[in-house]
Amino acid sequence: MHEETVPTSSTLAPTESRSSPSVLRALGCSCAALVVALVLVVLVLVVPLVWKSWGSTDFPRVAPEDMASRAFQRSQEAYDVVGFTRPVEPGVEQIGVSTENTFSSSFCYDGGPLGLEDKTVDGAYRMSHSWALDHVAASRAVSGLRRLHQHLKDNGWQVTSYREGAKGEDWDLFVQRDDGAERMSFTWFSDREYFTGGATVPCAYDPEWENGDVGGPSGDRQTPPALGPTQQD
């Protein structure tokens, strides 16, 4: 009779040693794939932020009066489309109550490499124009805002918000373009029959600004002309 040979641990060892490198290779491949996936996620999330913020201070050099004129022209266009004919003189007596026709200037900000910072850009400014009319009846405001809404859409503006209020409620319209660098807003307050409009143009560098200049943003002393119906030839 032949006795059965029982495998010992020494006979099993070669089999185990042969399988161990395969397991290690599998684990190595899984780790490598995970690292690659994480790198791709970081690139997808971070690169667009860096790219966007890289050009965030690449402003043109334009005199404040020219940018103020551009903002005023936006308001003038909207004023005509709505159908207003009453002239609005420069200035404001009481904000939110009286007529208004004013310029304002604000600082421009740099978001840093990842867009997470919030610091002012030396020599840069952003011009805005604000206007308002009192005693605006619902019939004028409603038809005018509907017409303006369609006009701006047809001319390449992105409508970010548009609300047609029910009877006795407010109406408003907000638009932008160039990723929000240029914006306009309009609101009609039903209870006061008060219509407001505003236009903000992109940031620019003041050509006359010099290192070391202090004070408010450039253009904060601009005065607009009277806002009224455009003269037709």
Side-chain angles (χ1 to χ4, degrees):
M1 294 180 63
H2 297 284
E3 294 183 358
E4 295 183 359
T5 301
V6 178
T8 64
S9 59
S10 61
T11 60
L12 292 174
T15 303
E16 293 175 354
S17 64
R18 285 195 298 270
S19 63
S20 295
S22 299
V23 173
L24 291 175
R25 283 195 296 270
L27 290 174
C29 292
S30 298
C31 291
L34 180 59
V35 170
V36 171
L38 290 174
V39 170
L40 290 175
V41 169
V42 171
L43 290 176
V44 169
L45 295 177
V46 174
V47 170
L49 290 174
V50 174
W51 179 262
K52 185 175 181 180
S53 61
W54 178 81
S56 63
T57 60
D58 187 21
F59 309 136
R61 297 179 65 83
V62 185
E65 53 267 27
D66 293 332
M67 296 305 286
S69 176
R70 178 172 170 177
F72 182 83
Q73 288 171 6
R74 297 284 180 258
S75 294
Q76 179 67 71
E77 178 184 1
Y79 177 97
D80 288 332
V81 172
V82 174
F84 291 128
T85 58
R86 178 160 43 117
V88 185
E89 296 300 322
V92 57
E93 293 182 4
Q94 188 174 356
I95 295 177
V97 177
S98 65
T99 61
E100 180 179 0
N101 177 12
T102 58
F103 281 135
S104 61
S105 179
S106 60
F107 289 107
C108 297
Y109 294 88
D110 179 8
L114 297 180
L116 302 178
E117 300 179 26
D118 191 22
K119 58 183 180 180
T120 58
V121 180
D122 291 341
Y125 67 95
R126 184 192 296 272
M127 292 299 306
S128 297
H129 178 252
S130 300
W131 57 282
L133 278 168
D134 54 358
H135 307 300
V136 178
S139 56
R140 170 58 59 83
V142 168
S143 61
L145 274 173
R146 283 176 174 163
R147 190 162 52 249
L148 182 61
H149 172 235
Q150 189 61 51
H151 172 81
L152 294 175
K153 284 178 60 179
D154 293 343
N155 283 273
W157 290 84
Q158 176 192 356
V159 177
T160 57
S161 177
Y162 177 57
R163 178 181 59 165
E164 292 190 353
K167 185 176 181 180
E169 295 181 348
D170 301 342
W171 286 54
D172 52 47
L173 170 63
F174 297 87
V175 299
Q176 68 174 32
R177 63 183 179 188
D178 296 333
D179 293 327
E182 193 164 9
R183 304 184 296 270
M184 287 196 290
S185 62
F186 310 92
T187 300
W188 178 69
F189 298 93
S190 174
D191 59 339
R192 292 179 283 150
E193 293 192 331
Y194 192 69
F195 191 102
T196 66
T200 299
V201 293
C203 288
Y205 285 112
D206 182 356
E208 296 186 359
W209 183 87
E210 297 180 357
N211 287 330
D213 287 352
V214 295
S218 299
D220 57 354
R221 299 182 183 277
Q222 301 293 316
T223 301
L227 180 65
T230 302
Q231 297 295 325
Q232 302 294 331
D233 293 335

